[in-house]
Structures are given as structure tokens and as C-alpha cells.
């Protein structure tokens, strides 16, 4: 199930969305502190977080799935966002260095196909960063935020999916330990919730933030063609040179 891009934009314009962007952005920035000279691609609805890299990266693009819709980004500069088919990205092989997936994997009907397409466009030394709802968290159980839609993942599930699509998880983090309550008086304690949850490593964080690298040494499965069996011919005696062919008699025909 995919959300409309207008709903995603409206969420991040609210106070709760602003707080969520700040905490998730910290987790993203702590893993990708230096993107100078890198080609960064965001898939899903990554625009609230791509601003962290736009000034330093060589180029920064936002691809949004067709069923979700697209909004202009950035608003005051030439647009860097495009509407795409998520299983057939308009890029050549090994075209980007880093890929950020936000509101993407949990919304995809076929997460494995999406990750394999990401693998194709990622450079051999490239890395991906996946922000995905935690199956055990409160944010995945309430549909008042975009993190409550789609399919949430446990840690074991996301690791298995990444490995199946030829990625190796390298680091793990969580964010959004606070309950998804948008009241201003409650949001004042958001930082205390976040610090306490991270310090105690509590299991009910709202999202996982997983970094993985591309595997380039894994053998790809090759489909073997079926061998066609050709019937063998029975041997036949060839008449000797000069021999007279035998004409069958009428008695033989009987």
C-alpha cells in the first residue's frame, strides 16, 4: 500500500513530522557524514533528508514511485526529483555511489525486486541506507503517520531480505523512541525519550536505520537451457555397386 505524496508532504509539514525528520536525520547523518564527490540517490519520499547531502555531493537525485506521485524538489532551484517506475529505474548500471531508501521498501509490493534494481544501479563500492518501520515499534501500529502504512520489518527480516538481494549489512541504528503523539506539550519531551531509548537500547524504536554494502562476488544464478533429444536413425544396408535390385514377386506380396 502506497501513500499519496500529498499526505507525505503534509506529515512533514506538521510539528510531529518536523521532530521525526530531526531524529531520523541524525541517524542518517551519523552514518553518512561525508558525501563529498559522491552521487547520491533517494528513493521513495527522501526529500526531507536529501538536503543533508545536496550541498556536498556531486549530484543528488530523488526518485519517487509512480503510484505515489512526485512533488517538486528543491522548491527554489532546478528540480532534482522525478517520477519513475521503481522496478525499472532510468539509470545505467553502477550509476550512483549511495542510495537512501525512505518510505520505499515498506511500501513496495515486491521488496526483493526493488532491492535488486537498486543493486543494479549502485556502484561496486556503493552503499545503501534503509529507513524502515520497526515491527515492534509504536509508530508501525498507528496510522496517524506514514510509518504506520505498508509492511514493517523486524531486524531478522530486513537482514534476510538484504542478504537475499546481494547486500551485506554493515551497521545498525534506531530512531523515534517517542510515541507518535503530535501534541505540542508532549513534543517538548521528545529529546528525553530519544536519549533514554538510545542509551538503554530499548526494542520499541519507531524505525530501523540499516546500512549495507553491495556484494560483487556473489555468483548469479544461470538458467540452463533444456537439451533437446534428437531421435537416432536406424542403420540401413546400402546395396553393393553392380548389384541388381530385387523385384518382389507377386507371391512375395501375398
Amino acid at each position: 500500500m502506497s501513500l499519496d505524496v500529498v499526505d507525505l508532504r503534509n506529515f512533514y509539514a506538521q510539528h510531529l513530522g518536523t521532530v521525526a525528520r530531526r531524529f531520523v536525520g541524525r541517524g542518517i547523518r551519523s552514518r553518512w557524514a561525508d558525501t563529498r564527490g559522491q552521487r547520491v540517490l533517494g528513493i521513495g519520499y527522501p526529500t526531507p533528508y536529501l538536503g543533508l547531502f545536496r550541498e556536498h555531493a556531486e549530484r543528488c537525485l530523488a526518485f519517487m514511485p509512480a503510484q505515489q506521485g512526485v512533488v517538486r524538489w528543491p522548491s527554489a532551484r532546478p528540480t532534482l526529483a522525478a517520477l519513475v517506475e521503481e522496478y525499472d529505474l532510468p539509470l545505467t548500471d553502477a550509476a550512483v555511489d549511495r542510495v537512501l531508501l525512505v518510505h520505499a521498501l515498506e511500501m513496495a509490493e515486491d521488496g526483493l525486486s526493488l532491492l535488486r534494481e537498486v543493486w543494479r544501479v549502485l556502484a561496486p563500492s556503493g552503499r545503501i541506507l534503509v529507513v524502515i518501520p520497526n515491527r515492534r515499534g509504536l509508530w508501525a501500529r498507528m496510522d496517524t503517520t506514514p510509518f504506520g502504512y505498508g509492511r514493517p520489518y523486524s531486524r531478522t527480516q530486513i537482514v534476510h531480505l538484504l542478504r537475499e538481494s546481494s547486500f551485506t549489512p554493515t551497521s545498525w541504528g534506531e530512531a523515534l523512541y517517542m510515541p507518535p503523539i503530535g501534541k505540542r506539550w508532549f513534543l517538548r519531551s521528545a529529546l528525553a525519550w530519544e536519549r533514554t531509548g538510545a542509551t538503554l537500547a530499548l526494542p520499541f524504536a519507531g524505525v530501523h536505520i540499516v546500512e549495507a554494502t553491495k556484494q560483487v562476488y556473489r555468483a548469479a544464478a544461470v538458467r540452463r537451457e533444456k537439451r533437446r533429444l534428437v531421435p537416432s536413425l536406424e542403420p540401413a544396408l546400402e546395396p553393393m555397386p553392380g548389384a541388381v535390385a530385387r523385384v518382389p514377386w507377386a507371391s512375395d506380396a501375398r
Side-chain angles (χ1 to χ4, degrees):
M1 179 180 181
S2 180
L3 279 176
D4 190 87
V5 69
V6 176
D7 297 327
L8 291 163
R9 182 185 60 185
N10 291 341
F11 168 73
Y12 282 103
Q14 301 172 6
H15 295 292
L16 182 59
T18 302
V19 173
R21 177 174 56 187
R22 183 174 64 193
F23 291 147
V24 174
R26 287 180 180 178
I28 294 174
R29 193 60 175 173
S30 65
R31 282 157 182 80
W32 287 0
D34 186 10
T35 56
R36 288 175 295 181
Q38 302 287 312
R39 297 162 292 178
V40 180
L41 170 65
I43 300 177
Y45 189 74
T47 53
Y49 310 99
L50 283 180
L52 299 171
F53 316 110
R54 191 181 61 196
E55 299 298 331
H56 304 286
E58 176 189 339
R59 65 191 64 183
C60 200
L61 301 174
F63 284 176
M64 302 186 187
Q67 65 271 19
Q68 169 191 290
V70 66
V71 293
R72 180 182 175 87
W73 180 82
S75 58
R77 298 185 182 183
T79 183
L80 299 173
L83 191 70
V84 301
E85 172 57 48
E86 58 188 331
Y87 307 117
D88 188 15
L89 300 177
L91 293 174
T92 59
D93 295 352
V96 295
D97 301 300
R98 302 190 182 187
V99 178
L100 173 65
L101 292 99
V102 185
H103 303 298
L105 191 57
E106 71 271 22
M107 302 292 185
E109 295 182 1
D110 188 351
L112 183 60
S113 296
L114 173 60
L115 287 177
R116 286 179 174 173
E117 181 65 4
V118 170
W119 189 96
R120 181 186 68 81
V121 303
L122 196 63
S125 59
R127 291 186 285 171
I128 67 171
L129 197 61
V130 183
V131 178
I132 192 165
N134 179 11
R135 188 176 183 181
R136 302 176 64 181
L138 293 176
W139 290 70
R141 302 173 185 271
M142 302 178 65
D143 58 2
T144 54
T145 76
F147 298 102
Y149 289 82
R151 177 187 175 184
Y153 284 78
S154 66
R155 182 166 183 165
T156 303
Q157 289 172 332
I158 186 62
V159 168
H160 176 75
L161 183 61
L162 287 170
R163 288 176 176 171
E164 190 176 359
S165 52
S166 299
F167 286 99
T168 301
T170 56
S171 68
W172 199 279
E174 283 84 20
L176 302 183
Y177 289 95
M178 54 169 285
I181 300 174
K183 301 296 183 180
R184 284 194 176 186
W185 60 266
F186 184 81
L187 293 177
R188 295 171 186 169
S189 63
L191 184 58
W193 280 91
E194 202 70 12
R195 288 177 176 175
T196 303
T199 302
L200 301 178
L202 299 178
F204 52 79
V207 296
H208 299 300
I209 304 176
V210 191
E211 184 182 24
T213 57
K214 177 179 179 177
Q215 294 181 10
V216 294
Y217 53 83
R218 184 173 178 178
V222 178
R223 182 180 299 177
R224 296 184 178 180
E225 297 183 359
K226 294 183 178 180
R227 303 176 63 182
R228 298 180 59 186
L229 299 178
V230 180
S232 59
L233 300 177
E234 296 182 358
L237 295 178
E238 184 178 356
M240 296 180 62
V244 179
R246 181 174 179 270
V247 179
W249 296 93
S251 59
D252 296 336
R254 296 172 188 162

